[in-house]
Amino acid sequence: MNATHASGLSRRAFCLCCLASGGFAATSGLSPRQAFAEARGLVSLIKDSAATSPIAVHKLRNNISALEGSGGNIAVLTGPDGKVLVDAGIGVSRPQLMKALTDLSPEPVATLINTHWHFDHTDGNTWLNSVGAKIIAQDNTRKYLSEVQRVEDWDYNFLPPAPGGIPSETFADALDLKLNGVSLKLKRYAPAHTDSDISVNFAEANIVHVGDTFWNGVYPFIDYSTGGSIDGTIAACDANLAAATADTIIIAGHGQPVSNKSELKEFRDMLVGVRENVATLKRQGRTRDEIVAARPTAAYDAKFGAFVIDPGFFTRLVYEGV
Ligand SMILES: [Zn+2]
């Protein structure tokens, strides 16, 4: 991995969801299995790049902001009850994240909500808990963070965090909170990107963090190892679209964090289009590698293919679920 790659990782704030990307295989001529093995070495690179990535702060409305630059996109609500964070980023970003949070307002982080269990959304749990944050998540996030998790498509085993990093308050389907005068509505999706995904809706502000059910303008990762699927991801997009109005600010899990219904609709239509193309080829009896070679994503690559989940890797993820 050369310096250009490293700075690219830093600049784009790549996340663990992207580690097993075939993008590295495409440029290096490795087989997917070799590429996955190489990708495992990137965990340390991701951490190194997160350690120096700047945090971009996007102020939205009603004392809510989106922070970009440490793994998955983070939402912050400030106020006298203490800050509420949606997702924790990667632990080594702590200095930059702390500065960004302190620049927003002086009060400490009192509450942290995880949208799902993945590392690039929960690695900061331990330090945030150590400074006083109570961690809330769906039942399965707690379950997955409590044991070693193997993600096949990353060829990687994730170890549990220290006990303080495991959510202490969980729920099955929905949880309503009132913090800093804001109605927070936490709602579980049917299995989508994983089977631990939730949305967090800031009701009065009409802002919703939809976690990794939405990757704004880029192909998504789908984690079949913990209950995700292409059809579930499409269904989650449909649920997000049904709940949104033209004025809703939608915070995406990855990609540019401040988004809206029309960009979400484009993402959903891309998922449906690729799914249909891959399913048609699979029905014709084509092998996975033949389907990748047929480029069923071609119509979408210019718009969505620039991130580390490249067309070939995304095609393999869709193939797995149709
Ligand atoms: Zn994820």
Side-chain angles (χ1 to χ4, degrees):
M1 191 57 57
N2 63 32
T4 306
H5 279 107
S7 67
L9 282 164
S10 175
R11 199 172 55 247
R12 299 293 301 274
F14 284 0
C15 66
L16 202 73
C17 285
C18 315
L19 281 185
S21 164
F24 297 98
T27 54
S28 64
L30 299 176
S31 72
R33 174 59 60 183
Q34 287 170 318
F36 293 161
E38 182 180 279
R40 277 178 291 168
L42 289 173
V43 173
S44 57
L45 181 61
I46 297 296
K47 289 191 175 183
D48 288 350
S49 74
T52 54
S53 286
I55 302 292
V57 178
H58 306 263
K59 292 196 177 178
L60 305 178
R61 55 194 177 210
N62 301 41
N63 298 319
I64 298 160
S65 301
L67 307 187
E68 178 185 14
S70 177
N73 295 320
I74 296 170
V76 185
L77 165 68
T78 60
D81 295 332
K83 291 190 181 81
V84 180
L85 260 60
V86 181
D87 283 343
I90 294 172
V92 289
S93 303
R94 177 177 178 170
Q96 304 96 291
L97 204 51
M98 199 66 202
K99 180 178 186 313
L101 291 170
T102 306
D103 287 350
L104 282 173
S105 68
E107 70 276 355
V109 179
T111 308
L112 166 63
I113 300 163
N114 292 144
T115 60
H116 62 298
W117 77 271
H118 280 156
F119 162 95
D120 49 319
H121 303 256
T122 60
D123 189 59
N125 278 14
T126 304
W127 82 261
L128 284 160
N129 174 259
S130 77
V131 297
K134 178 175 80 171
I135 306 175
I136 302 172
Q138 203 275 336
D139 292 339
N140 284 344
T141 294
R142 178 183 167 86
K143 185 179 93 179
Y144 293 137
L145 288 177
S146 301
E147 55 199 32
V148 176
Q149 287 308 316
R150 174 162 184 80
V151 175
E152 285 299 332
D153 284 312
W154 293 337
D155 191 20
Y156 196 88
N157 297 319
F158 293 93
L159 301 178
I166 294 173
S168 59
E169 182 178 339
T170 65
F171 62 93
D173 296 314
L175 179 68
D176 289 350
L177 304 169
K178 189 93 177 183
L179 291 166
N180 298 321
V182 172
S183 305
L184 289 150
K185 297 185 177 301
L186 286 56
K187 190 164 176 236
R188 186 192 186 189
Y189 293 97
H193 168 75
T194 69
D195 62 8
S196 64
D197 305 311
I198 63 167
S199 58
V200 180
N201 185 24
F202 302 88
E204 295 85 356
N206 195 11
I207 295 173
V208 61
H209 192 316
V210 296
D212 278 2
T213 67
F214 177 30
W215 295 45
N216 187 16
V218 295
Y219 290 134
F221 183 69
I222 298 167
D223 186 358
Y224 289 87
S225 293
T226 52
S229 69
I230 177 63
D231 288 346
T233 303
I234 292 168
C237 287
D238 287 336
N240 288 333
L241 286 167
T245 64
D247 189 46
T248 305
I249 294 175
I250 301 174
I251 301 176
H254 294 280
Q256 214 284 334
V258 186
S259 191
N260 54 49
K261 192 170 182 178
S262 68
E263 288 178 339
L264 173 60
K265 175 80 163 53
E266 271 187 83
F267 175 77
R268 182 263 182 204
D269 290 348
M270 175 276 294
L271 295 178
V272 170
V274 173
R275 188 216 181 277
E276 282 316 299
N277 290 346
V278 172
T280 299
L281 292 164
K282 199 169 178 180
R283 271 196 304 272
Q284 293 168 359
R286 308 258 208 121
T287 67
R288 190 187 71 167
D289 289 350
E290 286 169 352
I291 293 172
V292 170
R295 302 185 60 230
T297 63
Y300 306 97
D301 288 350
K303 162 109 180 117
F304 293 93
F307 205 50
V308 180
I309 303 292
D310 78 352
F313 188 50
F314 181 57
T315 300
R316 292 196 293 276
L317 291 172
V318 174
Y319 175 88
E320 212 168 324
V322 299

